[in-house]
Amino acid sequence: ANPVTPADYLGRLLEPATMDIQSALDQMRTLLGLQPQRIYKTSYYRKQTKNHWARDDPAFAAVQVALLLVASLAYSVAFRPAQGYLLTTILGFAIKSVLINFIGVGAVMATVGKQIADRHLASVGRTHVKQTVEWLYAFDIHCNAFFPFFVMVYGIQFFLLPIVLGTSVMSLIISNTLFAVAFSWYFYITHLGYRALPFLSNTEVFLFPIAAVAFLYIFNLVGHPFGLGFNGSRVMAYLYFE
């Protein structure tokens, strides 16, 4: 079998009956468990049977988009404008969430991750041919990593909005802890995805951004008394709804 192409992937989106939604939900549950690396075992089996690492079933991405649309409705109602139309707010937040945060950032992360892996981490195998990371597999990694991020930032944060939107130190700590865990989880799942490829080495580099997340978290905490800290939830509310 030949590697799946973006055209094949998008084509199956137009055939909902061919998508395995239950499998996608099971994978999402695995990502939230104690052994998230298990999700990449299916990629290995796919390589053995179909000769490609990437998913050929877009169900996972489709379910994630559906969840983002539901979250867009919930957040838009919570931040409903005093003036203007609610539908406009919903559409604006949905476009930013789906097209920018999920697909746009995903395309960038997949491209950057693939370039780093191909140029610096790939080793020459027994066939003396240097293997490369499939772009769609790199996008799969983003999809996997984005789901725990979604649960924290779109899910749990929603129910804590009355707390995290406050101006107190406790509000700042709770909000920034949510964001720190979400971003760290994202980069950890990303690391697991590249580590699963046997022709890559030193994949720990994908964990390095977690150090930057920790630095920003501590900086905000220490800098708050001096007017330097910022509350992630309040920044989000300003960027998306002001």
Side-chain angles (χ1 to χ4, degrees), residues 9-77:
Y9 192 81
L10 292 173
R12 287 195 63 178
L13 277 174
L14 303 177
E15 302 175 18
T18 66
M19 294 192 288
D20 190 345
I21 302 298
Q22 185 58 53
S23 175
L25 294 174
D26 290 341
Q27 291 173 54
M28 288 176 169
R29 192 159 50 242
T30 298
L31 286 166
L32 298 179
L34 297 177
Q35 294 181 304
Q37 66 272 18
R38 285 172 47 212
I39 194 171
Y40 293 111
K41 286 186 177 180
T42 57
S43 300
Y44 178 78
Y45 297 145
R46 198 180 298 116
K47 177 64 176 176
Q48 301 304 309
T49 57
K50 299 182 179 180
N51 196 34
H52 59 81
W53 295 93
R55 292 184 180 103
D56 46 17
D57 183 355
F60 190 99
V63 171
Q64 180 64 81
V65 168
L67 291 172
L68 282 168
L69 293 176
V70 172
S72 297
L73 174 62
Y75 271 87
S76 297
V77 170

Side-chain angles (χ1 to χ4, degrees), residues 2-242:
N2 294 320
V4 63
T5 66
D8 298 330
Y9 192 81
L10 292 173
R12 287 195 63 178
L13 277 174
L14 303 177
E15 302 175 18
T18 66
M19 294 192 288
D20 190 345
I21 302 298
Q22 185 58 53
S23 175
L25 294 174
D26 290 341
Q27 291 173 54
M28 288 176 169
R29 192 159 50 242
T30 298
L31 286 166
L32 298 179
L34 297 177
Q35 294 181 304
Q37 66 272 18
R38 285 172 47 212
I39 194 171
Y40 293 111
K41 286 186 177 180
T42 57
S43 300
Y44 178 78
Y45 297 145
R46 198 180 298 116
K47 177 64 176 176
Q48 301 304 309
T49 57
K50 299 182 179 180
N51 196 34
H52 59 81
W53 295 93
R55 292 184 180 103
D56 46 17
D57 183 355
F60 190 99
V63 171
Q64 180 64 81
V65 168
L67 291 172
L68 282 168
L69 293 176
V70 172
S72 297
L73 174 62
Y75 271 87
S76 297
V77 170
F79 286 93
R80 54 188 173 277
Q83 297 179 331
Y85 296 101
L86 177 61
L87 182 59
T88 304
T89 304
I90 295 171
L91 288 175
F93 189 74
I95 288 171
K96 290 174 183 175
S97 295
V98 175
L99 296 185
I100 299 177
N101 295 355
F102 181 53
I103 297 175
V105 171
V108 172
M109 293 299 292
T111 302
V112 171
K114 172 178 166 58
Q115 290 298 316
I116 292 173
D118 289 347
R119 294 186 180 187
H120 305 291
L121 310 180
S123 56
V124 178
R126 287 173 295 180
T127 58
H128 301 292
V129 175
K130 191 174 184 179
Q131 297 187 66
T132 58
V133 177
E134 299 165 18
W135 188 89
L136 267 179
Y137 177 75
F139 187 75
D140 271 350
I141 291 175
H142 161 74
C143 291
N144 293 338
F146 187 87
F147 179 67
F149 177 90
F150 166 84
V151 169
M152 296 297 294
V153 171
Y154 284 83
I156 294 175
Q157 180 183 228
F158 179 79
F159 297 100
L160 296 177
L161 283 178
I163 299 173
V164 297
L165 290 177
T167 56
S168 68
V169 177
M170 187 55 64
S171 294
L172 178 141
I173 292 173
I174 295 174
S175 170
N176 289 353
T177 298
L178 273 175
F179 277 88
V181 171
F183 278 104
S184 298
W185 208 341
Y186 179 93
F187 291 118
Y188 177 65
I189 300 296
T190 298
H191 155 71
L192 292 179
Y194 288 100
R195 192 179 76 177
L197 298 177
F199 57 88
L200 297 182
S201 57
N202 301 319
T203 52
E204 295 79 12
V205 297
F206 291 105
L207 292 173
F208 290 174
I210 295 178
V213 172
F215 172 78
L216 284 174
Y217 180 79
I218 295 171
F219 174 82
N220 273 302
L221 195 58
V222 175
H224 182 262
F226 305 99
L228 298 176
F230 58 85
N231 177 318
S233 300
R234 292 176 65 84
V235 171
M236 179 214 72
Y238 176 80
L239 291 175
Y240 287 91
F241 296 105
E242 287 294 327

